[in-house]
Amino acid sequence: MSRLKRQQNIDGLINVLETISKSQCSLSENEVSLLSDAIAKLNDLRRKKGLTNKHYQLEVAGIVDLINQFLIV
């Protein structure tokens, strides 16, 4: 996947997570924390350059884990 496509995917996911965190007033502190952590990791991932596909997949797996925890809580 090209760097531009990755950037677009990351930006889209950041927008979705920010929309969820702002539009849901009934979120617990834990849920807000999980969303904030996922957004922070996505922003860090967006700034990183020269990632191999394997490293990128590992980073994304950690972010997906946070989102999963948010959905399960």
Side-chain angles (χ1 to χ4, degrees):
M1 183 182 307
S2 72
R3 180 167 167 75
L4 179 60
K5 185 68 174 168
R6 284 183 183 175
Q7 296 282 353
Q8 291 172 341
N9 289 337
I10 291 170
D11 288 343
L13 187 52
I14 289 171
N15 288 335
V16 168
L17 294 178
E18 286 177 342
T19 301
I20 290 170
S21 66
K22 291 176 184 174
S23 66
Q24 296 293 326
C25 59
S26 62
L27 294 176
S28 69
E29 287 182 32
N30 185 39
E31 292 170 327
V32 171
S33 175
L34 288 169
L35 285 176
S36 296
D37 290 347
I39 291 169
K41 286 188 176 212
L42 283 166
N43 282 321
D44 289 342
L45 183 60
R46 190 176 191 292
R47 283 186 227 105
K48 290 183 180 179
K49 295 181 182 177
L51 293 176
T52 64
N53 283 336
K54 184 168 180 99
H55 186 76
Y56 183 75
Q57 288 172 348
L58 290 173
E59 294 283 334
V60 170
I63 295 165
V64 169
D65 186 45
L66 288 172
I67 296 169
N68 230 4
Q69 289 177 26
F70 167 75
L71 294 173
I72 292 173
V73 172

